[in-house]
């Protein structure tokens, strides 16, 4: 009940917002936000009261005959994600309703954002894998639409398409993984899949399935080497970056990995790619982040780094690691969306996001500055913020890991230092740095309360959780970890653990981060928009993209040359190829026996047809050619009639007649065929025609004894009168036994007629244009 | 293609073909014939008219446009499948009225397959005539 409500209500809101139009979008956006808040409240209430637990899972029969059910359920982990989606979503919608105020397409923006919300909620609450995949695709498509929201800008469109192509192809691979997994387990119900874990792991398809799922998750979460789309996705309006590309959608990949952790954890083909790619991503992204100048790009790279960290922790897979991943995920969603929104507020106020040009904004935007500072401090991991806690847990988890502790600790400390420097660069520098000052800063001011209050709440939440972690640990993170590990977990969270190694590492991180931050005016790190380095993988993607387009252009030109003759050759050759392959695979008939002896009539009809064919070959008059060919057609009709298929014979005669009449009409004004084609062309055509004819003959001969399924013609004959009250079996099959097929066929006829009409009409208007152009 | 012989013959042949096509469609359930053949025959009637008197005249004689024939035919075919749904049967399951006799025509046996066949008849005729008229007019231009 509750999960269905959570999934469907945003969709209803989307419709409401869309049809209220752009003028009322600021209002409807706020109403939507309020509804989201209400949903969040309902969810919190229902999941906290034990008597209402049954509301948390439900199913809808979808295709009962195939046993397909839509399964929805909320468990500990999805509840955490739902809190994030709806909590951050509320803030985002209040923010967005004023951020894009008086934008002519604001209502469309909010609508797509709400549809995204449906998709994201669907991913989190779906227990049927196919259903999950559909919602997964919804988020990809809406992400595409939102990144390309400023669609007049070519760069935006390129970025949107890039994100769609990367996450979309990942999605296809993910579907492949789901299908493999579903076929091993015999069900797409996730609960059943988890229960048949043993048999899945023993199956040879387990490895490809796991790798496919990993690829899907890694593309979605922007992991190395698919990371390049996420920084580019920053061309979306800021609320989108804050919501989709830091707090929710990019975490869908992490969510999928966590969801499948109970099955694949401790398998080397699952853990090692996660640890390796996750750690590469976190280091690579944080270094790349240092070299950016755009506030949002910096944030995007830090998001990548955090996602890498989460992936790595899930790859490590111990209880502590998963716990720290969950804590980090929660903390990150809280501070990162705030930082994004603050960056958006700066952009809104002074119309630039270049770090180098910003400074001293605290005087004009104190509330935004305080909010951003709170978030930045949490992100940097200063005690007593939530960020400090989550970092401590990462270190604890790293130290507890036996085999690769030094590696993980080194990576984590290094990344956290860089992340901290970046956090200060984004969250503190623009407001307090005295060095630079924006020219337009005098006019800058805090945005409306709708845009400041929400982020401030989220930022303060980071501080509150940091100071009182026990409650959130007991009610939010521990249930989530229990779901992932499928066992009760009771690790309590405390701010103060005493003097130990993690604390030392934290201090080290703080010191390191501050020193990196102090070096921010260094030549390497102090970039402007012009001097930022393009990601090398962006270039690889671009050449792949261009190569693909060049290839399709070449193939299209090669196959669709525009010459009818060429098309015909393609069709015939392809037919010959397909049928010949199949015939060779089937092999020779056991013995060739034809029960019907040749009669004189057969022979004379055949001679007539052959004569017609040769006549068509040698004549230069189109009319004679047509009549000669019709001899073949009528000969066939005759054969049908002789061998008691009157329906076919009548149809054949009528079709042949119509064709002849039509052709006569069309060709009567055409001239005689003056020149014949070259000898080489003729030889090729003759060879192809002979081959096609021979293949067809062999096919007909073989079809006598090839029987793929038991023949039903006898039964149809028997049933025809008693069941369908018709003596003409052919007609009974057409209109009764297989009426649905016939219905499909006549629909095709109708569509074909429309096609012909359009072709002829467009041809006519073209020739008219031509004639009017040339007086 | 103005030919007095063709024009005069067509005057008689077209109505005859139309009636024949309807008859062929009706008798299709028990004897060679049916909607496909009937539809082709109907279009032959108007194709003949188009050849002798021109496309415009043939279009006029048809009274409805070929597109209308297609659309109506598809609708009728679809509708013929619906009664079965009311009786909780599968879509397009055939249903028959009790047999009765009429003077001249003999035993009459009506059911949804005949309705369906009429839909096929109209769609096929509409398709063929649409193609025929389009190409003819292209030629005339």
């Amino acid at each position: 009940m509750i999960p269905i409500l959570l999934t469907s209500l945003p969709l209803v809101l989307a419709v409401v917002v869309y049809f209220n139009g752009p003028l009322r979008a600021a209002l409807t956006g706020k109403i939507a936000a309020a509804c989201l808040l209400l949903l969040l409240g309902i969810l919190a209430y229902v999941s906290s009261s034990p008597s209402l637990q049954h509301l948390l899972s439900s199913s809808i029969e979808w295709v009962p005959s195939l046993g397909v059910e839509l399964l929805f359920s909320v468990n500990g982990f999805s509840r955490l994600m739902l809190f994030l989606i709806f909590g951050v979503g509320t803030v985002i919608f209040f923010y967005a309703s004023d951020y894009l105020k008086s934008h002519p397409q604001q209502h469309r923006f909010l609508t797509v954002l709400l549809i995204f919300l449906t998709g994201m909620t669907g991913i989190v609450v779906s227990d049927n894998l196919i259903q999950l995949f559909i919602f997964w695709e919804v988020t990809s498509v809406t992400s595409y639409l939102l990144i390309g929201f400023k669609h007049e800008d070519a760069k935006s469109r390129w970025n949107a398409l890039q994100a769609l192509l990367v996450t979309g192809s990942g999605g296809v691979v993910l579907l492949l993984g789901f299908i493999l997994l579903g076929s091993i387990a015999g069900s797409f119900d996730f609960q059943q899949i988890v229960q048949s874990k043993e048999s899945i792991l023993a199956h040879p398809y387990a490895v490809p399935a796991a790798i496919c799922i990993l690829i899907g998750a890694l593309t979605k979460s922007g992991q190395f080497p698919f990371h390049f789309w996420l920084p580019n996705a920053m061309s979306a309006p800021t609320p989108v970056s804050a919501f989709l590309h830091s707090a929710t959608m990019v975490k869908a990949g992490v969510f999928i990995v966590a969801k499948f952790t109970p099955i694949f954890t401790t398998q080397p083909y699952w853990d090692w790619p996660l640890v390796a790619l996750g750690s590469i991503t976190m280091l690579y992204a944080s270094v790349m982040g240092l070299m950016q100048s755009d506030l949002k790009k910096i944030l995007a790279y830090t998001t990548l780094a955090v996602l890498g960290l989460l992936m790595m922790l899930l790859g490590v897979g111990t209880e502590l690691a998963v716990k720290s991943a969950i804590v980090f995920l929660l903390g990150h969603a809280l501070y990162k969306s705030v930082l994004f929104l603050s960056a958006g507020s700066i952009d809104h106020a002074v119309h630039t996001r270049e770090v180098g040009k910003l400074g001293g904004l605290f005087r004009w935007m104190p509330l935004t500055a305080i909010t951003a500072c709170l978030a930045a401090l949490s992100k940097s991991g200063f005690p007593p913020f939530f960020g400090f806690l989550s970092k401590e847990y990462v270190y604890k988890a790293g130290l507890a890991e036996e085999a690769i502790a030094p590696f993980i600790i080194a990576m984590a400390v290094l990344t956290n230092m860089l992340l901290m420097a970046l956090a200060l660069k984004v969250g503190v520098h623009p407001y307090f740095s005295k060095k630079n000052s924006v020219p337009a800063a005098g006019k800058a001011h805090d945005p409306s309360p709708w845009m400041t209050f929400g982020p401030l709440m989220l930022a303060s939440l980071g501080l509150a959780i940091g100071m009182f972690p026990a409650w959130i640990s007991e009610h939010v993170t521990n249930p989530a970890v229990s779901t992932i590990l499928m066992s009760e977990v009771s690790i309590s969270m405390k701010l103060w653990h005493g003097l130990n190694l993690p604390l030392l590492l934290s201090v080290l991180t703080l010191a390191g981060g501050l020193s990196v931050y102090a070096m921010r005016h260094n030549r390497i790190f102090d970039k402007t928009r012009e001097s930022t380095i393009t990601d090398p993988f962006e270039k690889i993607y671009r050449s792949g993209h261009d190569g693909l387009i060049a290839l399709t252009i070449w193939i299209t030109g090669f196959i669709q040359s525009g010459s009818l003759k060429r098309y015909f050759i393609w069709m015939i050759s392809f037919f010959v190829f397909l049928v010949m392959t199949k015939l060779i695979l089937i092999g020779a008939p056991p013995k060739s026996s034809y029960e019907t002896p040749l009669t004189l009539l057969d022979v004379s009809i055949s001679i007539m047809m052959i004569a017609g064919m040769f006549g068509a070959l040698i004549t230069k008059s189109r009319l004679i050619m047509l009549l000669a060919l019709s001899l073949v057609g009528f000969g066939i009709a005759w054969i049908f009639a002789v061998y008691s298929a009157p329906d076919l014979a009548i149809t054949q005669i009528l079709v042949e007649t119509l064709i002849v009449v039509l052709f006569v009409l069309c060709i009567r004004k055409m001239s005689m065929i003056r020149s014949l084609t070259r000898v080489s062309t003729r030889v090729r055509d003759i060879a192809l025609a002979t081959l096609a004819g021979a293949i067809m003959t062999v096919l007909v001969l073989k079809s006598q004894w090839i029987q793929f399924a038991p023949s039903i013609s006898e039964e149809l004959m028997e049933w025809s009168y008693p069941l369908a009250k018709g003596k003409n079996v052919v007609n009974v099959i057409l209109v009764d036994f297989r009426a649905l097929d016939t219905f499909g066929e006549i629909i095709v006829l109708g569509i074909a007629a429309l096609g012909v009409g359009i072709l002829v009409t467009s041809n006519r208007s073209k020739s008219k244009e031509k004639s009017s152009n040339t007086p | 293609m103005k030919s007095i012989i063709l024009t005069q013959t067509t005057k008689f042949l077209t109505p005859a073909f139309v009636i024949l096509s309807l008859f062929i469609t009706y008798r299709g359930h028990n004897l060679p014939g049916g909607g496909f053949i009937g539809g082709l025959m109907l279009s032959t009637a108007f194709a003949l008219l188009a050849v002798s008197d021109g496309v415009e005249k043939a279009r006029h004689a048809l009274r409805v446009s070929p597109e209308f024939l297609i659309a109506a035919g598809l609708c009728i075919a679809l509708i013929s499948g619906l009664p079965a749904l009311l009786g909780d049967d599968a879509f397009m399951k055939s249903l028959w009225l009790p047999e009765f006799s009429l003077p001249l025509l003999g035993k009459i046996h009506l059911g949804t397959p005949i309705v369906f066949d009429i839909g096929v008849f109209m769609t096929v005729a509409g398709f063929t005539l649409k193609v025929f008229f389009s190409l003819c007019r292209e030629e005339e231009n």
Side-chain angles (χ1 to χ4, degrees):
Chain A
M1 189 40 215
I2 290 295
I4 296 176
L5 182 74
L6 292 178
T7 320
S8 53
L9 202 65
L11 215 51
V12 177
L13 287 173
V15 175
V16 172
V17 169
Y18 186 80
F19 285 104
N20 270 298
L23 293 177
R24 269 178 282 178
L27 178 66
T28 47
K30 288 182 187 92
I31 294 172
C35 290
L36 297 183
L37 192 61
L38 184 70
L39 285 176
L40 180 67
I42 293 174
L43 174 69
Y45 174 71
V46 171
S47 53
S48 64
S49 62
S51 59
L52 295 175
Q53 291 301 311
H54 61 277
L55 288 177
L56 287 178
S57 62
S58 44
S59 64
I60 302 174
E61 294 256 317
W62 188 9
V63 191
S65 54
L66 295 175
V68 180
E69 259 184 314
L70 296 179
L71 300 165
F72 297 88
S73 75
V74 179
N75 53 37
F77 186 35
S78 47
R79 195 171 70 212
L80 169 81
M81 293 297 287
L82 286 174
F83 282 153
L84 281 184
I85 295 168
F86 284 89
V88 178
T90 307
V91 174
I92 296 288
F93 272 88
F94 277 130
Y95 188 93
S97 62
D98 270 9
Y99 183 76
L100 284 171
K101 205 172 197 168
S102 70
H103 188 290
Q105 291 184 322
Q106 192 193 9
H107 64 303
R108 293 176 65 176
F109 175 79
L110 293 172
T111 304
V112 179
L113 208 55
L114 280 163
I115 297 173
F116 162 77
L117 200 77
T118 292
M120 193 63 213
T121 313
I123 291 180
V124 172
V125 298
S126 290
D127 250 357
N128 179 323
L129 292 187
I130 301 296
Q131 173 196 349
L132 190 154
F133 171 76
I134 292 169
F135 286 120
W136 179 276
E137 291 297 283
V138 168
T139 63
S140 288
V141 172
T142 45
S143 157
Y144 164 75
L145 292 173
L146 290 168
I147 297 170
F149 181 66
K150 299 169 194 153
H151 52 80
E152 302 89 356
D153 177 17
K155 186 79 185 131
S156 273
R157 294 200 302 269
W158 165 267
N159 291 340
L161 188 64
Q162 186 182 50
L164 182 69
L165 286 177
V166 175
T167 56
S169 14
V172 174
V173 180
L174 181 79
L175 178 64
L176 192 66
F178 282 174
I179 291 173
L180 280 174
L181 204 59
S183 62
I184 301 171
S187 163
F188 287 106
D189 179 356
F190 184 73
Q191 299 308 327
Q192 289 188 23
I193 290 177
V194 171
Q195 274 159 21
S196 48
K197 177 187 169 184
E198 306 300 323
S199 59
I200 288 174
L201 289 180
H203 199 279
Y205 285 170
V207 182
I211 288 172
C212 285
I213 292 170
L214 272 187
I215 291 176
L218 294 177
T219 49
K220 193 83 163 182
S221 286
Q223 294 302 290
F224 187 89
F226 310 112
H227 58 277
F228 50 86
W229 72 265
L230 188 58
N232 283 339
M234 293 303 126
S235 57
T238 305
V240 175
S241 311
F243 195 37
L244 272 72
H245 303 124
S246 80
T248 53
M249 187 187 90
V250 289
K251 296 219 170 76
V254 177
F255 176 80
I256 285 290
V257 170
K259 191 173 177 86
F260 283 94
T261 293
I263 302 173
F264 291 117
T265 186
T266 71
Q267 300 298 318
Y269 52 79
W270 179 265
D271 288 350
W272 288 113
L274 281 175
V275 172
L277 293 174
S279 47
I280 293 175
T281 311
M282 60 199 246
L283 201 60
Y284 179 87
S286 42
V287 172
M288 282 300 285
L290 275 183
M291 304 187 186
Q292 301 299 317
S293 65
D294 182 345
L295 281 181
K296 279 175 71 179
K297 283 247 161 132
I298 297 175
L299 287 170
Y301 275 109
T302 60
T303 306
L304 281 177
V306 171
L307 292 170
L309 180 69
L310 296 180
M311 288 290 186
M312 187 188 79
L313 288 170
L314 287 174
V316 170
T318 57
E319 194 170 302
L320 252 175
V322 172
K323 169 97 186 181
S324 62
I326 293 303
V327 173
F328 214 107
L329 185 149
L330 181 61
H332 174 256
L334 292 180
Y335 62 67
K336 185 55 69 62
S337 47
V338 173
L339 286 174
F340 264 117
L341 293 178
S342 313
S345 297
I346 293 181
D347 195 11
H348 204 241
V350 298
H351 305 293
T352 181
R353 299 195 305 251
E354 292 285 299
V355 178
K357 292 185 188 159
L358 297 170
L361 284 172
F362 177 72
R363 268 182 60 196
W364 293 287
M365 311 172 69
L367 265 176
T368 313
I370 291 168
T371 312
C373 267
L374 285 175
L377 290 176
S378 178
K379 183 175 163 62
S380 323
F382 277 106
F385 285 91
F386 193 27
F388 169 75
L389 258 175
S390 46
K391 203 164 50 187
E392 289 268 291
Y393 271 92
V394 173
Y395 292 150
K396 269 175 89 174
L399 289 171
E401 173 67 20
E402 284 147 16
I404 48 170
F407 170 74
I408 289 181
I409 289 299
M411 291 300 261
V413 170
L414 203 54
T415 307
N416 274 327
M417 279 180 191
L418 299 179
L419 284 182
M420 175 181 168
L422 289 172
L424 296 176
K425 194 170 173 180
V426 172
V428 177
H429 174 91
Y431 307 97
F432 297 100
S433 160
K434 296 234 162 46
K435 198 183 162 203
N436 300 310
S437 212
V438 203
K443 279 175 269 169
H445 56 88
D446 272 322
S448 75
W450 298 108
M451 289 169 69
T452 42
F453 184 68
L456 186 62
M457 284 310 292
L458 284 182
S460 330
L461 206 58
L463 184 60
I465 295 177
M467 295 212 275
F468 309 102
W471 188 86
I472 209 90
S473 164
E474 191 193 339
H475 290 98
V476 180
T477 54
N478 272 352
V481 180
S482 308
T483 319
I484 297 171
L485 296 172
M486 308 213 95
S487 58
E488 259 335 291
V489 176
S490 52
I491 312 172
S492 63
M493 275 205 292
K494 279 183 296 188
L495 192 60
W496 177 249
H497 286 276
L499 270 176
N500 52 14
L501 202 48
L503 187 66
L504 281 178
L505 288 170
S506 284
V507 174
L508 182 67
T509 313
L510 285 180
L514 281 174
S515 36
V516 177
Y517 178 63
M519 289 194 298
R520 68 186 182 280
H521 298 303
N522 183 299
R523 198 165 47 84
I524 310 168
F525 301 142
D526 194 15
K527 297 284 181 189
T528 57
R529 185 186 284 276
E530 291 73 33
S531 63
T532 43
I533 312 158
T534 359
D535 205 311
F537 289 87
E538 165 85 20
K539 286 178 195 152
I540 296 173
Y541 168 83
R542 188 177 284 271
S543 51
H545 180 270
D546 295 347
L548 187 68
I549 288 177
L551 182 71
T552 51
I553 288 174
W554 180 78
I555 289 181
T556 313
F558 182 62
I559 297 175
Q560 303 202 355
S561 56
S563 141
L564 270 182
K565 195 165 175 175
R566 179 60 65 87
Y567 289 159
F568 204 65
I569 290 175
W570 276 119
M571 276 157 59
I572 298 285
S573 328
F574 196 62
F575 162 78
V576 166
F577 167 74
L578 279 185
V579 177
M580 198 155 71
T581 324
K582 190 69 190 172
L583 284 176
I584 291 171
L585 286 179
I586 290 169
K591 67 176 191 322
S592 49
S593 64
Y594 304 110
E595 285 156 25
T596 352
L598 274 181
T599 61
L600 187 63
L601 187 60
D602 296 344
V603 175
S604 30
I605 295 172
S606 310
I607 290 175
M608 180 187 91
M609 286 163 71
I610 293 170
M613 183 193 79
F614 276 106
L617 280 180
I618 52 175
T619 180
K620 281 195 173 185
S621 153
R622 292 180 201 266
L623 194 62
I624 294 176
M625 187 188 283
L626 180 65
L627 293 178
L629 274 181
S630 73
L631 270 186
V632 180
F634 285 116
I636 292 172
W638 200 343
I639 292 179
F640 284 147
V642 170
Y643 288 98
S644 53
D647 285 277
L648 278 181
I650 299 173
T651 315
Q652 174 75 21
I653 288 173
L654 285 167
V655 168
E656 200 62 40
T657 313
L658 276 170
I659 287 178
V660 170
V661 174
L662 194 57
F663 268 109
V664 168
L665 273 175
C666 289
I667 64 171
R668 72 197 146 119
K669 284 183 197 156
M670 284 185 175
S671 57
M672 302 265 275
I673 304 169
R674 277 192 218 101
S675 58
L676 297 171
T677 41
R678 275 184 293 145
V679 179
S680 58
T681 320
R682 296 205 114 195
V683 169
R684 183 198 63 192
D685 291 352
I686 289 171
L688 188 61
T690 316
L691 190 61
I695 289 287
M696 201 62 215
T697 312
V698 176
L699 181 68
V700 170
L701 290 179
K702 277 202 177 183
S703 63
Q704 295 267 325
W705 60 273
I706 296 173
Q707 190 80 52
F708 289 112
S711 167
I712 51 166
S713 45
E714 297 292 324
E715 274 104 329
L716 288 181
M717 297 258 219
E718 267 172 40
W719 292 339
S720 177
Y721 196 69
L723 289 183
K725 306 190 174 34
K727 290 182 192 130
N728 179 359
V729 188
V730 177
N731 189 260
V732 166
I733 293 174
L734 280 177
V735 301
D736 197 336
F737 291 155
R738 314 300 307 235
L740 203 59
D741 293 356
T742 313
F743 190 52
E745 282 160 24
I746 58 176
I747 289 175
V748 171
L749 275 188
I751 296 168
L754 291 181
V756 171
I758 290 165
L759 267 181
V760 172
T761 325
S762 68
N763 211 8
R764 195 182 305 149
S765 57
K766 257 185 224 161
S767 57
K768 261 186 197 164
E769 265 169 38
K770 260 186 205 161
S771 57
S772 61
N773 286 343
T774 49
Chain B
M1 226 188 276
K2 280 285 169 198
S3 146
I4 191 114
I5 302 173
L6 194 59
T7 316
Q8 289 305 314
T9 330
T10 311
K11 254 185 201 165
F12 298 100
L13 279 183
T14 304
F17 270 27
V18 171
I19 292 168
L20 187 65
S21 70
L22 291 172
F23 176 67
I24 290 265
T25 307
Y26 170 69
R27 74 166 208 164
H29 216 57
N30 291 315
L31 293 160
F36 262 108
I37 294 173
L40 287 172
M41 203 164 269
L42 186 78
S43 37
T44 316
F46 289 93
L48 204 58
L49 202 59
V51 171
S52 67
D53 293 0
V55 179
E56 277 318 308
K57 202 120 186 230
R59 267 184 180 275
H60 188 71
L62 186 62
R63 299 194 183 228
V64 292
S65 67
E67 291 89 342
F68 176 83
L69 271 183
I70 297 174
L74 286 177
C75 288
I76 289 174
L78 179 71
I79 288 166
S80 81
L82 298 181
L85 286 181
L86 295 178
D88 238 8
D89 263 321
F91 178 59
M92 291 215 161
K93 170 112 172 48
S94 60
L95 298 173
W96 294 92
L97 289 177
E99 242 174 81
F100 60 93
S101 289
L102 277 184
L104 277 180
L105 291 172
K107 259 197 243 167
I108 301 284
H109 205 178
L110 293 178
T112 53
I114 289 177
V115 179
F116 183 79
D117 223 7
I118 291 170
V120 174
F121 167 77
M122 290 171 75
T123 313
V124 170
F127 165 75
T128 325
L129 286 174
K130 171 78 192 166
V131 173
F132 198 90
F133 288 164
S134 313
L135 290 176
C136 279
R137 189 180 290 167
E138 171 77 347
E139 187 46 41
E140 280 179 2
N141 288 340

